[in-house]
Amino acid sequence: MSCNFGNNIKLTVFGQSHSTAIGAVVDGLPAGIKIDFDRVAAFMARRAPGQSELSTPRKEADEFKILSGIVDGMTCGAPICAVIENTNTRSGDYDKLRALPRPSHSDYAAFMKHNGFNDIRGGGNFSGRMTAPLCFAGAVCIQILESMGVYVGAHIASIGKVEDDRFDPVSVCKADFDSILSKPFPVINDRQGEFMRKEIYDARSSADSVGGTVECAVVGLKAGIGDPIFDGMENRISSAIFGIPAVKGIEFGSGFEGSKKRGSENNDAFVLRDGKIVTETNNHGGILGGISSGMPVVFRCALKPTPSIGKEQNTVNLVSGEEEKLVVGGRHDPCIVPRAVPCIEAAAALVIADYLM
């Protein structure tokens, strides 16, 4: 099923953007793990809508209620079920979209797959709202990983054509993640962050949207974790990342730029450092043959501009079969990238924790 993920830690996401509630069921966690739910709430607040003038005006606290799996703050071996109520919906904003699919949105594809019975309200289960349960599960997994000395962090790598500095692929560490977490806008270079914010403001003021990229790293992961062929670490991370709406591309290490180099330029020489085998560079992004090398796992993913924009666009009326013009109203993010940063961390943490269980 498309709403299920994982082999050892199994995540099921349920609900729709405007249903009574959305939620997550996390199965496979061993009993006796202490979970700090204040930290979970703080993590989810980074993704929640209505937190700044750069996001959708829809305000959802993303407060979760634990239905099962936790006793006195500890996992008890039963599946954890968490429910997040949808409290600020305006379903009427989507009425005309039943017949007029938004360009580059899932509306038309979902209509064809479900014979017109898809939930159009807020995008239904195709909505970015569905990343809230993912963030709940990821926040739990992040705490489990930290107890093993493994840390996950991400930042906005670009908005439009404005680029942030990149993680040092060899020496990126938890302190880098902590520095980014201390900021209201998750970038390394604050000056570039101001230019990014301007890009978002400019897009919004012209009734448009803008996309960007996010860079994520995992540190503290020992060598030898993963599998070859179809179940490699890149495969599994990619699968989870593409569960985040708007993601359209991913690259590991030197990625597409590496394809322009010769082997002598792109290869990472093995060396000894304090008796440990490491690589001088990290163009491979911490993964070789689908298996961790012990170097930081580093990847970047691309997120498209939000399809719901206020500019007039061409579409086709699914009822009349006639071409029509569409101006999308309602409440939408001019740029989804800032809110996607914790979602990408959550997806990566889920995969790594699944391996380590």
Side-chain angles (χ1 to χ4, degrees), residues 254-255 257-259 261-268 281 283-284:
S254 61
E257 287 300 313
S259 70
K261 300 177 180 179
R262 295 195 173 184
S264 56
E265 300 172 293
N266 196 62
N267 287 351
D268 299 306
T281 52
N283 291 316
H284 67 285

Side-chain angles (χ1 to χ4, degrees), residues 35 58 62 105 120 133 162 171 180 208 269 279 281 301 305 338 357:
I35 304 296
R58 177 180 177 179
D62 280 3
H105 203 282
I120 198 69
V162 181
S171 62
I180 294 166
D208 214 333
T279 58
T281 52
C301 51
M357 284 295 103

Side-chain angles (χ1 to χ4, degrees), residues 9 15 25 43-44 46 65 87 106 136 154 156 160 220 225 233 260 269 272 281 291 299 321 333:
I9 298 176
V25 177
F43 184 92
M44 294 181 65
R46 294 167 55 204
K65 181 179 181 180
T87 59
S106 63
F136 171 85
I156 300 172
I225 307 299
M233 188 165 285
K260 302 173 185 178
L272 286 173
T281 52
I291 300 169
F299 66 91
D333 290 89

Side-chain angles (χ1 to χ4, degrees), residues 3-5 9-14 23-28 68 78-83 133 136-137:
C3 295
N4 301 328
F5 184 84
I9 298 176
K10 297 179 173 64
L11 169 64
T12 299
V13 170
F14 61 86
V25 177
V26 185
D27 194 6
S68 65
I80 299 174
C81 180
V83 172
F136 171 85

